[in-house]
């Protein structure tokens, strides 16, 4: 069996569902169930003996020790993190606690347990650390895409905390011989993403008749990858990635934010037209920019393609259509995850942002 951390979040839940469907091996899923973790994402596995859910913190050393001893996983896949850049700007401490200290405590428990394994099990064991392209910083418009050799230049509390965790994972390999691999992936989208991130937030606001808040001039560029393709990449790296290596994962789909929002509006106009016949584009508003907003991310994933044969299977247009359909068909899930403290968050993040008209930004 494998131990997954953060498996009730967006990518973790997609990974657990895909893992049970494709590999069929048992999963112990350790998740603290913060605002971002939702058991309703895993409801399909409620009666499935291959899924064992444990509510808890990766920083709880005793709990992790007991889980390792009881379940004897052959691998740990580490997703658990605070993941939202805007939240890290409003309250960085939780990011340092979970992403840095939590990862450190998890590594220490895994190291102690790994050291006691029989030689064959010890040799086969893997710790896969799921990280982000944001550790590399920001690119200019004509710069080449990030390779694995690009220096770390994190610019937000979130990316700084993830960069720190990447360094810890690397150090635990070099110093203690822990068998680790790390993936650095670009922006994911798809089913089960909490509506605080760009794509689900825009779908949610559009359907509710609310403003579509585009930060700054809307020309920041992100590389988008369908979450199912990220899960496939992680499975492949877990299976055949070289120890101590990092692998970039990307979608070859660089898009300006405003273009993403336009595409979303056009899809919604087609699939769920507004009652008044107007386009959802009329709800777009330019608002005060995110502080320290990285301008462009782009991923060079040729190492993963060349060594392990992984490439994305879905292009952005097909993935986005599939995603919009999923949100339209799964409104009860959205209602469930936005029923708690969601309102307080949107007031904190968007209430103080003034509308900032930007000349020429609609072109
Ligand atoms: P998410 O915020 O949707 O989910 C995070 C999960 O971790 C939640 O279920 C939460 O309850 C859990 N968690 C948080 N703190 C915990 C703790 N202390 N102990 C145990 N569980 C805890 O995040 P996501 O978007 O699914 O991202 C998952 C991982 O992938 C993160 O490490 C993130 O940095 C990385 N990543 C995300 C993206 C993306 O576009 N979303 C891209 C690249 C890498
Ligand atoms: O690049 C990988 C990273 O992608 C992951 O490591 C992070 O966990 C994940 O949250 C994501 O970070 P971003 O900051 O790129 O994602 P987000 O969806 O928050 O924002 C995407 C872009 O859209 C970014 O340029 C900011 C902009 N944006 C976002 C929101 C929420 C807006 O213009 N308006 C918004 O309301």
């Amino acid at each position: 069996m494998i131990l997954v951390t953060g498996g009730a979040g967006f990518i973790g839940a997609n990974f657990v569902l895909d893992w049970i469907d494709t590999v069929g091996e048992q999963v112990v899923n350790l998740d603290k169930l913060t605002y971002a973790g939702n058991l309703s994402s895993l409801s399909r596995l409620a009666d499935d003996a291959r899924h064992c859910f444990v509510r808890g913190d990766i920083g709880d050393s005793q709990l992790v020790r007991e889980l390792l001893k009881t379940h004897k996983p052959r691998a740990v896949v580490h997703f658990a993190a605070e993941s939202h850049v805007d939240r890290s700007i409003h309250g960085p401490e939780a990011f340092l606690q979970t992403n840095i200290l939590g990862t450190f405590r998890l590594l220490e428990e895994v190291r102690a347990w790994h050291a006691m394994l029989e030689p064959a099990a010890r040799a086969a064991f893997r710790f896969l650390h799921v990280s982000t392209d944001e550790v590399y910083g920001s690119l200019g418009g004509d710069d080449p895409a990030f390779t694995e050799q690009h220096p770390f230049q994190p610019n937000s509390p979130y990316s700084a905390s993830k960069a720190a965790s990447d360094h810890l994972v690397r150090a635990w390999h070099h110093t203690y011989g822990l068998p680790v691999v790390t993936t650095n992936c670009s922006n994911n989208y798809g089913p089960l993403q909490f509506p605080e991130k760009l794509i689900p937030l825009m779908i949610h606001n559009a359907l509710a008749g609310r403003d579509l808040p585009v930060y700054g001039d809307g020309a920041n560029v992100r590389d988008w990858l369908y979450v199912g393709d990220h899960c496939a990449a992680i499975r492949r790296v877990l299976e055949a990635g070289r120890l101590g290596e990092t692998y970039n994962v990307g979608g070859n789909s660089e898009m300006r934010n405003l273009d993403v929002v336009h595409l979303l509006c056009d899809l919604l106009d087609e699939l769920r037209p507004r009652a008044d016949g107007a386009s959802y584009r009329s709800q777009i508003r330019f608002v005060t920019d995110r502080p320290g907003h990285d301008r462009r991310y782009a991923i060079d994933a040729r190492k993963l393609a060349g060594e392990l044969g992984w490439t994305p299977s879905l292009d952005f247009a097909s993935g986005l259509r599939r995603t919009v359909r999923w949100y339209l068909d799964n409104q009860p899930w959205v209602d469930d995850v936005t029923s708690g403290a969601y309102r307080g968050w949107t007031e904190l993040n968007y209430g103080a942002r003034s509308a900032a008209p930007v000349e020429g930004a609609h072109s």
Side-chain angles (χ1 to χ4, degrees):
M1 69 150 59
I2 62 168
L3 172 65
V4 168
T5 72
F10 162 50
I11 306 174
N14 275 284
F15 179 84
V16 169
L17 292 165
D18 281 5
W19 181 268
I20 300 272
D21 287 344
T22 57
V23 182
E25 186 181 6
Q26 214 176 346
V27 175
V28 175
N29 183 353
L30 172 63
D31 194 298
K32 189 178 174 182
L33 294 183
T34 68
Y35 79 93
N38 296 289
L39 276 181
S40 58
S41 302
L42 298 161
S43 54
R44 174 154 79 74
L45 301 178
D47 297 320
D48 194 320
R50 294 170 297 179
H51 180 235
C52 168
F53 183 80
V54 179
R55 184 174 192 175
D57 195 316
I58 53 165
D60 182 342
S61 303
Q62 196 182 334
L63 173 64
V64 172
R65 198 174 310 143
E66 278 163 16
L67 286 178
L68 292 169
K69 206 170 125 197
T70 307
H71 297 286
K72 304 180 175 46
R74 69 175 178 90
V76 174
V77 184
H78 178 34
F79 294 96
E82 291 291 338
S83 71
H84 188 34
V85 174
D86 291 322
R87 286 186 193 255
S88 81
I89 295 167
H90 288 285
E93 188 159 343
F95 289 72
L96 275 65
Q97 281 296 341
T98 283
N99 301 359
I100 304 178
L101 199 56
T103 299
F104 157 70
R105 290 200 177 132
L106 179 67
L107 282 168
E108 277 294 80
E109 289 309 316
V110 174
R111 174 167 82 91
W113 184 75
H114 177 251
M116 295 186 309
L117 291 175
E118 296 298 321
R122 193 158 67 231
F125 187 83
R126 294 289 178 275
F127 182 98
L128 191 149
H129 176 57
V130 180
S131 192
T132 170
D133 59 359
E134 298 202 11
V135 299
Y136 298 124
S138 182
L139 292 170
D142 296 326
D143 290 340
F146 299 128
T147 66
E148 289 81 359
Q149 276 71 49
H150 198 280
F152 275 26
Q153 292 172 333
N155 292 315
S156 72
Y158 163 69
S159 53
S161 68
K162 288 297 292 188
S165 68
D166 290 17
H167 286 318
L168 291 175
V169 169
R170 177 188 162 89
W172 261 239
H173 173 68
H174 283 271
T175 303
Y176 303 115
L178 195 68
V180 308
V181 266
T182 295
T183 53
N184 291 91
C185 187
S186 59
N187 285 60
N188 284 216
Y189 68 100
L192 302 173
Q193 188 169 29
F194 192 73
E196 64 182 355
K197 309 282 167 65
L198 180 74
I199 288 176
L201 177 95
M202 293 296 169
I203 299 171
H204 184 57
N205 281 14
L207 295 174
R210 286 197 280 269
D211 289 352
L212 306 182
V214 174
Y215 296 165
D217 63 1
N220 300 68
V221 172
R222 297 291 181 266
D223 170 60
W224 293 96
L225 178 69
Y226 190 74
V227 64
D229 278 332
H230 188 190
C231 295
I234 291 170
R235 286 198 302 273
R236 185 72 189 121
V237 173
L238 187 61
E239 182 179 58
R242 284 185 292 132
L243 292 189
E245 293 290 319
T246 63
Y247 292 90
N248 282 351
V249 188
N252 293 324
S253 293
E254 281 187 60
M255 298 280 299
R256 294 190 317 161
N257 291 338
L258 186 59
D259 296 330
V260 172
V261 177
H262 281 163
L263 270 176
L264 279 170
C265 290
D266 297 349
L267 278 165
L268 287 168
D269 287 342
E270 177 196 330
L271 299 170
R272 182 67 58 84
R274 271 175 43 154
D276 64 2
S279 168
Y280 287 100
R281 288 190 184 208
S282 62
Q283 291 169 229
I284 295 174
R285 301 283 179 273
F286 291 92
V287 300
T288 310
D289 209 351
R290 171 187 281 175
H293 196 175
D294 285 339
R295 195 62 174 169
R296 172 175 168 246
Y297 305 140
I299 274 282
D300 180 337
R302 278 179 295 180
K303 178 176 171 183
L304 182 52
E307 275 189 27
L308 303 181
W310 175 92
T311 51
S313 70
L314 269 192
D315 62 33
F316 188 62
S318 324
L320 201 63
R321 178 175 286 274
R322 194 185 279 196
T323 302
V324 170
R325 278 192 198 283
W326 187 88
Y327 279 90
L328 291 175
D329 293 344
N330 288 276
Q331 279 301 305
W333 180 88
V334 178
D335 294 343
D336 187 33
V337 304
T338 54
S339 63
Y342 183 73
R343 196 187 156 88
W345 162 249
T346 54
E347 273 159 16
L348 177 69
N349 192 43
Y350 296 99
R353 279 179 202 270
S354 53
V358 176
E359 260 178 59
H362 278 288
S363 57

